[in-house]
Amino acid sequence: MSTFNPEGIALKQRLAFNPERIALARRLEGVTQKELSTRSGLSQAKLSKLQNGIISFNESDAVKLSGALDYPISYFEESGTVIPLSELTYRKTSRSSMGELNSVSTEYSLLMDVIQKLCHVLKMKKIQPHGLMK
C-alpha cells in the first residue's frame, strides 16, 4: 500500500512489526538478548518486553535491531512464528547440542514461512508445520 506526500512521491506504509521475528533472528544468529541489547543500544529489559509482545514494537526499535543484526527492516514486518522444538520430530543424540537443535528449528521456521507464501501465491492449501495439508 502506498500514500503520496505533497511532492507526489509514493511512500510505502509500514506494516506492523512482528515481535516474534526478534526471537527468530536471535536464534538464527546465535546471539543472546544481552548481546543484541549491546549491539542495538536497546536495554535488555526493553528487548525482552518487545520480543514477548509486552510493549509495542515500533519502527524506531526495528531500525535499531535491523542495524544491529544487519537485516533489512522489512524482515521484522514478515509474518510467521517460531516453531517450538517440541513440535518438530527429531531423534536427540548426545552429539546434538541445544544450540544446534535451535538452529535447525529456526531454519525450519523460516522455510515454513517461505512455503506458506508460495502456497498463498499459488493458491494451494496451507501446509501445517508437521507436513499435513489443511
Side-chain angles (χ1 to χ4, degrees):
M1 215 183 252
S2 295
T3 57
F4 288 92
N5 65 10
E7 291 81 30
I9 301 169
L11 300 173
K12 180 183 177 193
Q13 288 181 337
R14 287 277 175 211
L15 302 173
F17 294 100
N18 182 352
E20 291 188 27
R21 301 294 282 189
I22 300 170
L24 193 60
R26 280 195 325 97
R27 286 174 50 183
L28 191 60
E29 295 299 319
V31 297
T32 64
Q33 275 187 355
K34 185 175 182 172
E35 290 171 315
L36 185 54
S37 169
T38 301
R39 287 187 197 177
S40 66
L42 297 170
S43 73
Q44 188 173 353
K46 182 173 184 175
L47 187 57
S48 177
K49 289 176 185 175
L50 285 170
Q51 184 175 303
N52 292 307
I54 296 170
I55 61 174
S56 179
F57 185 20
N58 62 38
E59 187 170 7
S60 172
D61 299 327
V63 167
K64 289 177 183 175
L65 292 171
S66 174
L69 293 164
D70 197 25
Y71 280 30
I73 195 167
S74 60
Y75 168 84
F76 296 103
E77 296 173 326
E78 296 287 328
S79 62
T81 59
V82 177
I83 299 169
L85 280 174
S86 60
E87 288 193 24
L88 297 177
T89 304
Y90 66 94
R91 186 170 161 208
K92 173 93 170 85
T93 67
S94 60
R95 292 185 216 134
S96 300
S97 70
M98 280 308 292
E100 291 169 331
L101 294 174
N102 277 330
S103 291
V104 168
S105 170
T106 302
E107 289 180 23
Y108 182 81
S109 295
L110 291 171
L111 287 171
M112 285 304 298
D113 286 347
V114 170
I115 290 168
Q116 296 296 356
K117 288 175 188 171
L118 284 172
C119 286
H120 176 74
V121 168
L122 298 173
K123 296 178 177 38
M124 295 172 62
K125 293 180 182 179
K126 286 193 174 192
I127 296 175
Q128 296 302 304
H130 48 75
L132 298 176
M133 291 199 145
K134 188 176 182 182

